[in-house]
Amino acid sequence: MKRKLMQGVGIGAAAMLALTGCGQVGDSAGGGDADASGEDLSMVTVVKVSGVGWFDRMEVGVDEYAEETGQDVRQEGADDASPEKQIQIIQDMIAQAPDAITVVPNSPEALEAVLTQARDHGIVVVAHEAAGIENVDIDIEAFDNASYGAQIMDNLGECMDGEGEYVQFVGGLTAKTHTEWIQGALDQQEADFPDMKRVEDPVESKEDENVAYERAKELLAKHPDLKGFQGSAGTDVSGIARAVQEAGLEDQVCVMGTSIPSVAKQYLQDGSIDKIFFWDPALAGKAQLKVAELLVTGEEITEGTDLGIEGYESLTQLEGYDNVFVGDAAVIVDADNVDEYDF
């Protein structure tokens, strides 16, 4: 029998314009002008996919940043999680010559060539959810990804009483952060929960709740003793929860992973999701833009840099990387504290 567990705050993807709706970026000449003043900057945030709650929330932060700073800032994204469409958006942005592009990549490897083009045009490039990506100035993360995955597994393992079969979902097999989360969780499981077993290779949901739902149904039928799911995309756990709920397995199957309260709340309340783990996408959107602003205006990002944004007040350089910095912006939510969050 799964146990309902509580844990406090510990760990934590703005509706985007459709691909055909890309507008023009101000009148800036772009090129990362170190003499640019704050109100003269033009910056674009390119996200994975439009029309999902995670990136709806990120756009809130992007819009707030524009209002607070007076800068020409907006968010763009395609209608599905296709790296090819994301590349096309970035190519369109390069032609408009903004000062900076921030990006949450669907496939870091697929974007590296177009990001090189952007930097060759003097555009500052900042990434998020892409530690280790080539050809960016800075990658900013909400936390260390391996530790995030390990903490999800600590909670999933407790919920499963340290034994039984589980499955891990990723939005895409090329989504670097998702693979780091599930690897961190797998490593933790093998070290601390030896009686648990992952029964499938990572399952790809394509950042689509309906895909997650269908695949979870298939897995529940294929593995009748399945006791746990870990979701990575913001839509994974809600899709999985629908399948668990339909099967009447809310009290037998543990469901945990990355999401936001507005997406997961109904499932947390009925027990088909046990916990969600996240960072506020709005604050992450602001953090990306603040890093880009500092770089464009000639500042450096170093150990201890304070972005003036909650969770990003003292950045830490990620070990093994010279351009990856992490904050401390993670949150855990269950049915008992979900009402504390309004997004």
Side-chain angles (χ1 to χ4, degrees):
M1 181 69 68
K2 78 175 181 180
R3 293 176 289 147
K4 306 292 185 183
L5 301 172
M6 290 182 57
Q7 184 161 337
V9 172
I11 281 191
M16 296 169 283
L17 300 175
L19 180 59
T20 56
C22 297
Q24 296 295 313
V25 182
D27 296 318
S28 171
D33 181 3
D35 295 324
S37 65
E39 293 188 0
D40 294 332
L41 299 186
S42 60
M43 300 187 288
V44 181
T45 295
V46 181
V47 294
K48 289 182 177 181
V49 62
S50 63
V52 298
W54 188 271
F55 291 116
D56 289 346
R57 176 63 181 175
M58 184 168 284
E59 192 170 40
V60 170
V62 171
D63 290 345
E64 287 179 354
Y65 196 88
E67 182 176 355
E68 292 163 2
T69 65
Q71 297 169 11
D72 180 7
V73 176
R74 74 167 192 272
Q75 181 166 300
E76 295 281 0
D79 55 2
D80 63 43
S82 161
E84 292 77 16
K85 290 184 179 180
Q86 201 171 39
I87 289 168
Q88 184 60 58
I89 291 174
I90 294 171
Q91 288 175 332
D92 291 345
M93 293 304 102
I94 292 170
Q96 296 178 33
D99 292 291
I101 294 173
T102 77
V103 59
V104 188
N106 285 305
S107 170
E109 293 80 8
L111 264 60
E112 286 173 356
V114 73
L115 297 179
T116 298
Q117 294 174 25
R119 296 181 79 198
D120 286 347
H121 281 76
I123 299 169
V124 165
V125 177
V126 174
H128 176 59
E129 294 191 50
I133 187 173
E134 301 288 339
N135 303 322
V136 302
D137 293 280
I138 293 290
D139 176 80
I140 178 71
E141 302 292 331
F143 39 70
D144 174 72
N145 288 321
S147 297
Y148 179 72
Q151 186 157 12
I152 294 175
M153 180 52 65
D154 283 340
N155 285 268
L156 185 63
E158 289 184 54
C159 184
M160 292 174 59
D161 293 324
E163 60 184 15
E165 300 175 345
Y166 72 98
V167 178
Q168 295 177 309
F169 277 49
V170 293
L173 296 176
T174 59
K176 183 173 177 61
T177 51
H178 293 188
T179 59
E180 290 180 344
W181 298 342
I182 63 169
Q183 187 61 52
L186 180 62
D187 291 344
Q188 188 77 349
Q189 176 260 300
E190 291 176 342
D192 288 359
F193 302 100
D195 293 328
M196 291 173 60
K197 180 183 179 182
R198 189 178 78 174
V199 293
E200 297 275 345
D201 289 336
V203 178
E204 186 177 40
S205 69
K206 300 185 182 298
E207 302 272 347
D208 188 315
E209 180 178 319
N210 291 322
V211 174
Y213 162 70
E214 293 293 344
R215 294 188 176 170
K217 285 203 303 182
E218 294 167 4
L219 289 161
L220 288 168
K222 181 178 179 181
H223 301 283
D225 296 324
L226 197 61
K227 288 182 63 178
F229 286 88
Q230 176 189 348
S232 299
T235 50
D236 282 349
V237 291
S238 53
I240 293 165
R242 286 167 52 196
V244 168
Q245 187 181 68
E246 285 184 7
L249 295 173
E250 297 95 328
D251 293 332
Q252 286 77 46
V253 178
C254 298
V255 178
M256 298 187 184
T258 303
S259 189
I260 55 175
S262 62
V263 172
K265 183 175 180 177
Q266 63 175 310
Y267 302 110
L268 286 164
Q269 291 176 331
D270 68 26
S272 48
I273 295 175
D274 294 271
K275 290 184 181 180
I276 59 171
F277 304 74
F278 63 96
W279 61 107
D280 187 343
L283 297 177
K286 289 184 174 184
Q288 294 170 70
L289 291 165
K290 184 61 178 181
V291 168
E293 177 186 336
L294 291 171
L295 294 176
V296 170
T297 56
E299 301 293 331
E300 294 184 355
I301 306 300
T302 60
E303 186 87 12
T305 292
D306 180 0
L307 299 183
I309 297 165
E310 183 181 353
Y312 302 87
E313 297 97 335
S314 182
L315 300 184
T316 301
Q317 187 170 349
L318 189 60
E319 185 176 356
Y321 300 93
D322 61 4
N323 67 342
V324 181
F325 290 84
V326 303
D328 183 15
V331 182
I332 297 177
V333 164
D334 60 15
D336 294 294
N337 65 341
V338 65
D339 288 332
E340 297 175 16
Y341 300 88
D342 61 357
F343 61 88

